[in-house]
Amino acid sequence: MTPVLALVAALALAGGGIGFGAGEKEGSAGLTVTTGYGSELLIERPLDGLSQSSTAMRLLDGSTEIETRYGGGFVQSIQGISGTAGSRSSDWFYFVNGVAAERGAAEFLVGPGDRIWWDFRDWTDAMDLNAVVGAFPAPMSTGFDGSDWPVAVECPVEDAACEMVEAQLARHGVEVSAGERPAALRIVVGDWRSIRSDAAARRLGSAPAVSGVFARFFQDDGRITLQGLGVDGTTVREFGPGSGLVAATRRAGEPPVWLVTGTDRAGVRLAAAALNPEDLANRYAAFVQNGRVGSLPIVRPGPESPDSGDPR
C-alpha cells in the first residue's frame, strides 16, 4: 500500500538552520543532486561535521566533482553535466529546504537540518521557480536562511482534508500557529472552487514563469480538470474528478504559500494524504490520482498512467 492510501485508510478508521558557536562542529545536513526537475537522482547523502563556514558550494565541492565559473560563484557542471544554451537553456539551480536561495551558493551558510537540493533543468519557460514541495517537511520544520516562519493552515471550507493536513504536520514535528499571523508560511487547503480567490492560488491561472507551478485548473461547463504541464508550459495530461495537487509558490522575500487542492473534495483529501516525505521527495510539485502520486512538470510524456508506478 502506498503512503497516500495507507494514510487515507488510517485516518478513515480514526474518524531555519541552527547557529553555531565559534569553531563548533556539530550536526548534519543533507545533499541531493538530481537532473530534469528531480526525475533522475544522482546523489543523496548526509553532510556531517558542519561548521560555521560550511557553505552550500563548499559542501557540494567536497561531495562530488564540480566545475565553477565567475570566480567560483557559479556552478557550471556537476559530474560532467554542464550548462547549455541555445534554443533551450539548461543550468544548475539549488534550493535550501525547498526554497530557492536568493544569493550564490558560495555565500549561503548551511546549518544542521538543512537540505540542499541541486537540480539540472531546462529553464527556458520558467527560470524563477522560488519554492518546491520536494523537501517536506521543510521549510515548515526547518525555517529558511535564518527565518523561522510560523505555519498557518487555512481552510476556506471545513473538510476532513484540513484535519489530515494538520495531522501530517504534527507527525513531522511542525506546530501550527493559532490565529492570524501576517508573516506566516500559509498552507491553503480546499478544492479549487473554494480557494481560487486566494491571491497565491490565482497564480495557477498564469504560465509557470509567473506561478512557479507546472499545473493549472481549467473549468468547462462547470467541470473542473487539473492540467499537468510539460517543461515548455504546454498541457501534457488532464486529470478529472478525484484529482489532487500539492504545490508551492513564493514571491521573493516572502514566506512560501503551499496549496493542497484538487478538482473536488475527494481530490483534496488525496492531496492532503500525499503530504509526507515519501510521496513528495524530490518533486517540484505533485499531482495525485487514484492514490498514486506523480511529479510536475511532466518530463516524460507518454502513455504511462499514474496507476503504473511513479510517473516522473
Side-chain angles (χ1 to χ4, degrees):
M1 183 179 291
T2 68
V4 166
L5 294 179
L7 180 65
V8 171
L11 289 174
L13 290 172
I18 303 171
F20 297 96
E24 195 173 342
K25 290 189 177 183
E26 63 175 61
S28 64
L31 173 67
T32 301
V33 180
T34 63
T35 63
Y37 291 88
S39 62
E40 181 178 357
L41 179 65
L42 300 181
I43 298 172
E44 189 149 47
R45 54 160 294 185
L47 300 169
D48 298 319
L50 301 180
S51 73
Q52 59 185 343
S53 61
S54 294
T55 65
M57 182 72 79
R58 182 173 295 179
L59 293 169
L60 178 67
D61 191 24
S63 301
T64 189
E65 179 183 352
I66 70 171
E67 294 181 7
T68 62
R69 288 188 176 178
Y70 307 113
F74 176 83
V75 173
Q76 174 64 19
S77 75
I78 300 176
Q79 293 188 352
I81 300 173
S82 182
T84 61
S87 58
R88 302 194 68 83
S89 299
S90 296
D91 275 306
W92 287 99
F93 294 82
Y94 82 105
F95 301 92
V96 179
N97 301 334
V99 180
E102 295 170 331
R103 60 184 181 277
E107 300 176 356
F108 197 104
L109 293 173
V110 176
D114 284 344
R115 178 183 171 189
I116 315 303
W117 176 13
W118 290 87
D119 184 51
F120 183 79
R121 64 174 177 85
D122 180 317
W123 53 266
T124 308
D125 292 282
M127 182 173 184
D128 296 323
L129 303 181
N130 294 321
V132 295
V133 303
F136 182 86
M140 286 77 80
S141 61
T142 59
F144 169 73
D145 196 19
S147 295
D148 188 14
W149 298 304
V151 177
V153 176
E154 299 180 4
C155 303
V157 177
E158 289 299 321
D159 188 82
C162 297
E163 297 179 5
M164 293 169 70
V165 168
E166 292 184 352
Q168 290 283 57
L169 294 171
R171 283 180 60 208
H172 295 95
V174 178
E175 182 178 349
V176 175
S177 298
E180 293 188 8
R181 300 294 295 270
L185 187 160
R186 300 165 54 230
I187 304 176
V188 182
V189 185
D191 65 280
W192 177 242
R193 284 187 176 91
S194 69
I195 72 165
R196 61 185 174 184
S197 61
D198 183 272
R202 281 200 304 270
R203 296 174 202 161
L204 291 182
S206 303
V210 175
S211 68
V213 181
F214 285 83
R216 58 176 166 249
F217 287 91
F218 179 76
Q219 182 170 346
D220 183 27
D221 292 332
R223 181 176 184 268
I224 292 180
T225 58
L226 171 64
Q227 298 179 338
L229 309 182
V231 297
D232 61 354
T234 61
T235 301
V236 176
R237 298 186 203 164
E238 290 194 353
F239 307 101
S243 302
L245 172 70
V246 182
T249 184
R250 180 182 185 238
R251 295 192 183 279
E254 298 179 0
V257 178
W258 281 48
L259 305 171
V260 181
T261 184
T263 55
D264 47 33
R265 291 193 178 187
V268 181
R269 292 172 188 176
L270 282 177
L275 206 64
N276 64 76
E278 294 80 10
D279 282 321
L280 297 182
N282 302 342
R283 303 187 196 272
Y284 277 57
F287 67 83
V288 192
Q289 188 182 54
N290 299 327
R292 295 283 184 174
V293 184
S295 287
L296 297 166
I298 299 172
V299 299
R300 295 173 181 168
E304 69 269 22
S305 160
D307 291 326
S308 65
D310 184 3
R312 289 183 183 268

